[in-house]
Amino acid sequence: MSSNNLASGGPAQSRQRITTEPRWQPVLRATHAQLPPESRRWLTDNGSLTGHLVASGRGQFAVKRLYQGWERPLPSESTLLGISPRQLSLVREVTLMLGRDPVVFARSIFPISSLVGSLAHLRRLQSKSLGAILFRHPGMQRDPFEIARMPGNSHYLPDHLRQAESAWGRRCRFGIEGKSLMVSEVFLESFTPWPGALPVHRSQRGKVNAAFPSTTQ
């Protein structure tokens, strides 16, 4: 059985290699002209994106897995994670859906050295929400965001998610029990920012909790 099969728990998948990376920069270096306050508010929100989407009431939340396999991360991803450019990682790409609308493209990098012990189960995420799992994990730490404004036809996006309008993306490194992983999120045309830094309404809490599967599954 191939490493792709082992990683995905199913038939091997393929994805065209990303040849051109977005121009990521630390969010703290972005000027108001580069990142207007109304965009900065939700792009730098440290809450759970899954929680915000579920609570939006704009449709049933779902994770659609597009690709999962072992490969070398992009150069800037290896740098962000502090690993050798030659070290293999599990790369997972998904679309976050609200109803029939794709609202966020997410790419996650799991260095092979991180997928051991209590994090070994991340090899078998299938269509579970990674964000939901991370935010349930005690001691999880999140580094400051890096952001990028990328053209809608960026090679970073799968072909079927490319669009006419440019898109904001953000990424950060998560730390759990001394292990690192990276998550990037690109907000697509169908995405609507959530209003303010408001708590999840109690009528939505059950739906949010239902989207947060147990880490033992």
Side-chain angles (χ1 to χ4, degrees):
M1 183 178 290
S2 72
S3 60
N4 274 342
N5 282 345
L6 288 169
S8 64
Q13 301 153 301
S14 61
R15 159 83 150 93
Q16 184 176 352
R17 179 72 176 174
I18 299 172
T19 56
T20 305
E21 292 197 59
R23 295 184 178 180
W24 301 100
Q25 67 168 325
V27 69
L28 296 177
R29 296 182 186 173
T31 65
H32 287 298
Q34 294 171 318
L35 182 57
E38 60 272 18
S39 298
R40 185 183 296 266
R41 176 187 59 77
W42 56 265
L43 269 176
T44 61
D45 186 286
N46 277 314
S48 166
L49 177 57
T50 295
H52 284 304
L53 293 177
V54 172
S56 71
R58 292 186 54 240
Q60 181 68 37
F61 173 81
V63 177
K64 182 178 180 180
R65 191 178 63 173
L66 305 176
Y67 169 80
Q68 186 165 308
W70 295 100
E71 59 183 66
R72 294 186 180 91
L74 300 173
S76 74
E77 294 171 340
S78 296
T79 299
L80 184 66
L81 287 164
I83 61 175
S84 165
R86 300 184 63 84
Q87 181 176 328
L88 286 178
S89 296
L90 183 60
V91 177
R92 179 176 185 255
E93 296 181 344
V94 303
T95 306
L96 305 185
M97 309 287 296
L98 286 178
R100 296 183 178 181
D101 296 329
V103 291
V104 177
F105 167 71
R107 173 179 166 92
S108 306
I109 310 294
F110 309 89
I112 192 171
S113 57
S114 294
L115 292 172
V116 296
S118 64
L119 299 188
H121 68 95
L122 295 181
R123 298 171 183 246
R124 304 181 296 276
L125 279 174
Q126 300 296 332
S127 294
K128 296 185 178 73
S129 166
L130 172 62
I133 293 174
L134 293 179
F135 277 86
R136 286 169 59 103
H137 206 291
M140 181 272 284
Q141 295 182 326
R142 187 184 204 173
D143 286 356
F145 288 110
E146 293 184 342
I147 59 169
R149 185 73 167 171
M150 63 191 76
N153 63 353
S154 169
H155 290 176
Y156 198 74
L157 292 168
D159 289 347
H160 71 284
L161 292 179
R162 293 177 187 174
Q163 57 189 38
E165 299 295 326
S166 59
W168 278 112
R170 69 180 190 180
R171 71 178 185 179
C172 68
R173 185 184 70 88
F174 287 86
I176 299 176
E177 299 177 358
K179 305 177 184 71
S180 297
L181 57 97
M182 189 212 82
V183 178
S184 67
E185 297 153 338
V186 181
F187 298 87
L188 305 173
E189 285 176 326
S190 297
F191 169 77
T192 300
W194 52 88
L198 300 176
V200 175
H201 190 275
R202 61 187 176 192
S203 65
Q204 296 289 338
R205 286 175 186 164
K207 296 179 183 179
V208 174
N209 290 336
F212 286 17
S214 169
T215 58
T216 61
Q217 293 179 350

